């Protein structure tokens, strides 16, 4: 009778990992106790103001600025990225200059300059440069109000960052894909939208959503325009009531809600994109296996020879 050796599998133990987990839980408990049971945080004041109509109106302005700034920056940034990748030295240089300028300037400086734009120029005219030919003119004081100045300033700065993110996504696509797309004889716009862009999205999406989150928080800079968005509204309230900390916590929690929702949307979009890529890979494997089976069948076809 043959002896069978029994191998006992012992799971690896990590005592330092357990010590680290206990230490982290201890620190978390200390933080929760100090925040939840310290009366100076004034959580009753926080609860009273959190859903106040004035706060919700400021939150609506913040969300609207984020939405418009995101859409416009994606459109303008996409055009800037294509210009940077263009073979035309003029387009590439102009796009590079725009990106260099607005990535160098702080957002608050851009907003203040735009808000004082009517001091520099009384009117904005549309016509032929260096001639008297004009098709229309507008007074700047009527064109650039608080909301329009905020939208223009956020879009100008955000477009520069978005352009570099989109350009990086296109550069991350293998050059052979460009050659294969060109070999199909498709127009350039269709090659970009149908073949190159879907592959570049995996690189663009994570950094792009980071910029959207930064834009949502960056709308707090609009307070210099005295525009009643979320942060400026909170400032006005605590300047009147002197309840600084609880009202700042109201703003902090609402910004946490915004970033959490955006992060959840990012996760859903990335998961959907990964699912579609897996589906296309499975279809390609099925098609290639079907092709191999047909080829094998043709090779193994019996040959009948006539015997004399």
């Amino acid at each position: 009778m043959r002896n069978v050796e029994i191998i006992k599998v012992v799971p690896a133990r990590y005592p330092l990992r357990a010590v680290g987990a206990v230490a982290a839980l201890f620190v978390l408990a200390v933080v929760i106790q100090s925040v939840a049971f310290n009366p100076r945080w004034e959580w009753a004041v926080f609860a009273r103001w959190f859903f106040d109509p004035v706060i919700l109106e400021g939150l609506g302005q913040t969300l609207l600025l984020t939405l418009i700034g995101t859409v416009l920056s994606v459109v303008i940034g996409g055009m800037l990225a294509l210009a940077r990748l263009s073979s035309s030295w003029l387009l590439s240089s102009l796009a590079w200059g725009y990106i260099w300028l607005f990535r160098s300037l702080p957002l608050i400086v851009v907003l203040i300059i735009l808000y004082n734009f009517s001091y520099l120029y009384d009117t904005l005219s549309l016509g032929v440069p260096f001639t008297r030919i004009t098709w229309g003119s507008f007074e700047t004081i009527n064109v650039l109000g608080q909301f329009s100045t905020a939208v223009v300033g956020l879009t100008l700065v955000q477009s520069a960052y978005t352009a570099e993110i989109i350009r990086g996504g296109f550069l991350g696509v293998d050059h052979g894909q460009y050659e294969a797309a060109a070999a199909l004889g498709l127009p350039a716009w269709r090659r970009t939208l149908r073949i190159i862009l879907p592959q570049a999205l995996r690189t663009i999406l994570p950094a792009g959503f980071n910029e959207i989150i930064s834009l949502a928080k960056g709308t707090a800079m609009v307070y210099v325009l005295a525009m009643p968005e979320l942060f400026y509204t909170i400032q006005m309230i605590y300047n009147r009531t002197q309840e600084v900390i609880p009202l700042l916590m109201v703003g902090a929690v609402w910004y946490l809600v915004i970033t959490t929702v955006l992060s959840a949307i990012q996760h859903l979009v990335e998961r959907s994109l990964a699912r579609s890529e897996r589906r296309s890979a499975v279809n390609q494997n099925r098609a290639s296996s079907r092709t191999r089976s047909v080829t094998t069948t043709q090779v193994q076809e019996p040959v009948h020879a006539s015997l004399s």
Side-chain angles (χ1 to χ4, degrees), residues 94-289:
L94 291 175
W96 179 88
Y98 178 98
I99 295 170
W100 166 77
L101 177 64
F102 285 103
R103 284 205 307 176
S104 304
L105 295 176
L107 175 60
I108 192 170
V109 173
V110 176
L111 291 173
I112 293 174
I113 291 175
L114 288 174
Y115 198 56
N116 293 279
F117 196 75
S118 59
Y119 170 76
L120 299 173
Y121 301 96
D122 295 329
T123 59
L124 291 176
S125 300
L126 181 63
V128 180
F130 305 107
T131 65
R132 296 179 178 272
I133 301 175
T134 57
W135 296 299
S137 61
F138 310 92
E139 293 186 1
T140 53
I141 196 171
N142 296 328
V143 174
L144 290 176
Q146 289 177 324
F147 186 80
S148 56
T149 300
V151 169
V152 172
L154 291 170
T155 301
L156 289 176
V157 174
Q158 192 65 31
S159 297
Y161 293 96
T162 305
E164 287 297 279
I165 292 172
I166 296 175
R167 185 176 73 92
F170 280 111
L171 291 177
V173 178
D174 186 75
H175 188 68
Q177 297 293 322
Y178 290 89
E179 296 176 349
L184 294 175
L186 299 174
W189 65 270
R190 194 170 182 182
R191 294 199 303 263
T192 302
L193 292 179
R194 299 296 299 274
I195 298 176
I196 306 302
L197 183 59
Q199 300 180 63
L201 277 178
R202 286 189 64 85
T203 306
I204 294 173
L205 280 177
F209 269 97
N210 283 340
E211 285 302 315
I212 295 174
I213 292 172
S214 298
L215 176 62
K217 296 182 294 184
T219 55
M221 288 292 181
V222 178
Y223 81 94
V224 297
L225 308 178
M227 181 182 168
E229 47 79 45
L230 180 59
F231 184 66
Y232 183 79
T233 302
I234 288 172
Q235 276 188 318
M236 291 299 99
I237 295 174
Y238 73 60
N239 285 336
R240 188 177 70 250
T241 63
Q242 299 303 311
E243 297 167 334
V244 180
I245 296 299
L247 281 163
L248 285 178
M249 289 303 297
V250 169
V253 172
W254 274 122
Y255 283 118
L256 281 172
V257 171
I258 294 172
T259 55
T260 302
V261 171
L262 290 174
S263 300
I265 294 173
Q266 175 186 354
H267 174 71
L268 293 175
V269 172
E270 289 180 351
R271 190 172 65 177
S272 175
L273 185 63
R275 190 185 301 116
S276 64
E277 287 190 354
R278 286 196 299 269
R279 191 183 302 117
S280 62
V282 169
N283 292 335
Q284 287 179 358
N285 291 334
R286 288 177 179 173
S288 60
S289 62

Side-chain angles (χ1 to χ4, degrees), residues 28-77:
L28 181 61
V30 170
V31 171
I32 292 175
Q33 181 187 8
S34 65
V35 173
F37 298 100
N38 187 347
R40 296 186 180 181
W41 286 96
E42 301 181 77
W43 292 112
V45 178
F46 169 88
R48 187 176 76 246
W49 284 105
F50 190 71
F51 290 108
D52 190 89
V54 178
I55 298 292
L56 295 180
E57 185 176 351
L59 176 65
Q61 291 290 320
T62 295
L63 294 176
L64 185 59
L65 285 174
T66 303
L67 177 61
I68 297 177
T70 299
V71 173
L72 293 179
S73 63
V74 168
V75 173
I76 298 175

